[in-house]
Amino acid sequence: MLKVKDLAVKYGMIEAVKGVSFQVKKGEIVSLIGANGAGKTTIMHALSKLIDYEGEVFLEDKNISKLKAFQIVKESLAQVPERRRVFSDMSVEENLKLGAYLNSNNQEIQSDMEKVYKYFPRLSERKNQLAGTLSGGEQQMLAMARALMSRPKILLLDEPSMGLAPLLIKEIFNIIQEINKNGTTILLVEQNAKMALAISDYAYVLETGKIILEGSGKQLSDSQEVKKAYLGG
Amino acid sequence: MELSQFIMQFVNGLNVGSIYALIALGYTMVYGIAKLINFAHGDLIMVGSYGVFYFYTVLKLPLWIAIVLAILLCVILGALIEKIAYKPLRKASKISLLITAIGMSYLLQSTFQLIFTANPKVFPNFINLPALKLGDILIGANYYLTFLISIFLLIALNILVKHTKVGRAMRAVSQDAGAAQLMGIDVDKTISITFMIGSGLAAIAGILYCCLYPVVSPYLGAVPGIKAFIAAVLGGIGSIPGAVLGAFILGMVEVMSKAYLSSALSDTIVFSILIIMLIFKPSGILGKNLKEKV
Ligand SMILES: Nc1ncnc2c1ncn2[C@@H]1O[C@H](COP(=O)(O)OP(=O)(O)O)[C@@H](O)[C@H]1O
Ligand SMILES: [Mg+2]
């Protein structure tokens, strides 16, 4: 589904991502784990072309490295960015409509909205509330719902657990699994390695801009190195 | 007649305010979306007025065609200015942008001076509707038309921004351009559209302004331009309702101070209001505290 080859990103002189290659197979949940500052968000921004990069990215065998950010959404790749970035001065419903920006069929938009409200019933109770007034968990749900409105084949999630209470994290991760079961491939970025590995088919460990380890979710959870560095012993 | 005198001034204030509002919207929308003070914006008022003068008085085209062409001229010019002067600088420092914008303003003024010379031209008087009678008060057609057209445009713009897809995209880009791109919004196109709308409004404002003060010169845009800019800052730059509110306050203060205090002091009062505002609430009446976004 998604193949990344030798992806490298520099911020001025600083090499934040130093040539990483990985892939996400269709139907899987793949996660990218690593400590704060490892370069996870940079990779996510690169994949959506919010920043320029070297290297190549293929989405279903199509080279998307030369596309602009808005064109990548057309290729059915959506992202739930770090810190949600909902449009806080707009209502929940307007945020969802923006998620469906590329869809001009109003009936489809309506039925998609019904679908995402099924994943997130709490949002449907708050349709007309301004996104900025939602709680952190609700904003995370809105950001996910908004991304789903573009009907992505692959969904990128950047630290969905950030700043949320354990119970809420569990809820969010359950929904991620449900979205995946319904046919959306997932690339998940997390500092919360334990939770991420538990739901992942495959995972990569990122350290200072390089992939240092990879394997199935289970293999990595059992690995001594990962346990020591990311799972607290 | 104390009261009728006051009502006349009030009507006058509403008119000046509504013209400032049309101009201020361009400043505030462009600022909201591109984080740029487009100092060339005021000069589009002048371009629009010369457009009508040229197409109608010189080429003798039918009035409505002349007006449409003048508006189109500004819309295209606005989009071109953005593409040629500002777009290449989108990642540049604020100060480079500011200098470019000021340069753009001078470029427009000198270009029009080269074409039309510095001698003021008489703007055609084409409104021949009857005046409105309210008791013993007469309100000229150019006054009530200016007001009605402005109000109509303000409502139309409000609907566009609040209830259409384009408007939603404009708001999304101005809140968080990165997140907007993740929605599939073409930021460049949206910025371009914003410049076009602002420029079209400036053209109309210019034509209406010249219906009240029928003289066209290359520097025509400078004064209403700076006043509308102050209005936008007063209301909270980036805020659309703020720009409209700021414009009506400014128009009213200007007209009333001219009528009841002294016309020499009027501008001093306007600038003092701006300075006081900047000291006590730099974000403007309806503005938010500006935060930087990544
Ligand atoms: N806009 C930026 N400018 C300069 N350096 C940046 C920028 N964004 C991130 N970095 C640096 O790049 C590295 C990777 O950051 P990031 O991708 O945000 O990591 P993560 O998401 O894994 O925490 C860090 O060292 C960070 O300081
Ligand atoms: Mg991050």
Side-chain angles (χ1 to χ4, degrees), chain A:
Chain A
M1 178 103 206
L2 184 76
K3 265 206 182 83
V4 178
K5 269 172 75 180
D6 304 321
L7 179 87
V9 182
K10 277 186 196 153
Y11 294 110
M13 297 294 288
I14 304 160
E15 266 189 300
V17 175
K18 305 165 183 162
V20 303
S21 301
F22 61 92
Q23 61 168 320
V24 182
K25 289 196 186 132
K26 198 176 162 120
E28 290 192 342
I29 299 181
V30 171
S31 51
L32 210 55
I33 59 173
N36 194 12
K40 305 181 297 296
T41 298
T42 304
I43 292 176
M44 296 300 250
H45 282 179
L47 294 177
S48 285
K49 234 346 169 20
L50 292 181
I51 42 174
D52 289 324
Y53 56 84
E54 282 168 41
E56 283 174 322
V57 178
F58 296 88
L59 187 61
E60 296 198 305
D61 296 326
K62 178 173 175 176
N63 189 335
I64 60 165
S65 8
K66 297 284 173 290
L67 297 185
K68 293 189 171 158
F70 72 94
Q71 294 168 321
I72 287 177
V73 185
K74 281 189 191 151
E75 299 296 328
S76 304
L77 182 152
Q79 173 165 180
V80 180
E82 188 177 72
R83 293 173 207 286
R84 295 99 172 142
R85 290 169 78 168
V86 294
F87 299 107
S88 45
D89 294 345
M90 295 192 217
S91 70
V92 166
E93 191 151 294
E94 280 187 299
N95 271 272
L96 294 182
K97 281 185 183 163
L98 277 165
Y101 183 75
L102 293 172
N103 190 347
S104 42
N105 181 334
N106 279 327
Q107 267 172 346
E108 279 182 17
I109 296 176
Q110 276 310 318
S111 81
D112 287 354
M113 236 180 240
E114 300 297 315
K115 268 186 219 157
V116 300
Y117 283 143
K118 277 208 187 96
Y119 283 123
F120 307 103
R122 255 194 265 184
L123 293 180
S124 84
E125 296 156 21
R126 292 170 170 76
K127 271 180 204 167
N128 300 316
Q129 198 172 321
L130 288 186
T133 64
L134 298 174
S135 72
E138 288 158 0
Q139 289 192 13
Q140 182 60 43
M141 292 176 187
L142 178 58
M144 288 168 68
R146 184 180 67 174
L148 288 176
M149 290 298 291
S150 69
R151 306 186 156 195
K153 288 182 192 149
I154 179 162
L155 181 63
L156 277 50
L157 293 145
D158 194 346
E159 299 215 33
S161 73
M162 187 187 277
L164 301 185
L167 224 69
L168 211 50
I169 298 180
K170 225 175 182 154
E171 193 180 331
I172 298 275
F173 272 62
N174 284 338
I175 298 170
I176 294 173
Q177 280 182 298
E178 204 181 319
I179 292 169
N180 175 249
K181 282 210 184 80
N182 292 336
T184 309
T185 306
I186 306 265
L187 173 61
L188 172 67
V189 152
E190 265 298 342
Q191 267 190 72
N192 189 334
K194 193 171 175 180
M195 290 290 293
L197 291 176
I199 67 163
S200 297
D201 296 296
Y202 204 80
Y204 297 86
V205 180
L206 196 70
E207 206 174 277
T208 54
K210 277 200 194 116
I211 288 178
I212 54 155
L213 216 60
E214 62 175 272
S216 71
K218 172 120 186 35
Q219 278 170 342
L220 290 187
S221 330
D222 294 343
S223 124
Q224 285 309 318
E225 267 176 283
V226 174
K227 271 189 186 156
K228 227 164 107 190
Y230 302 102
L231 303 177

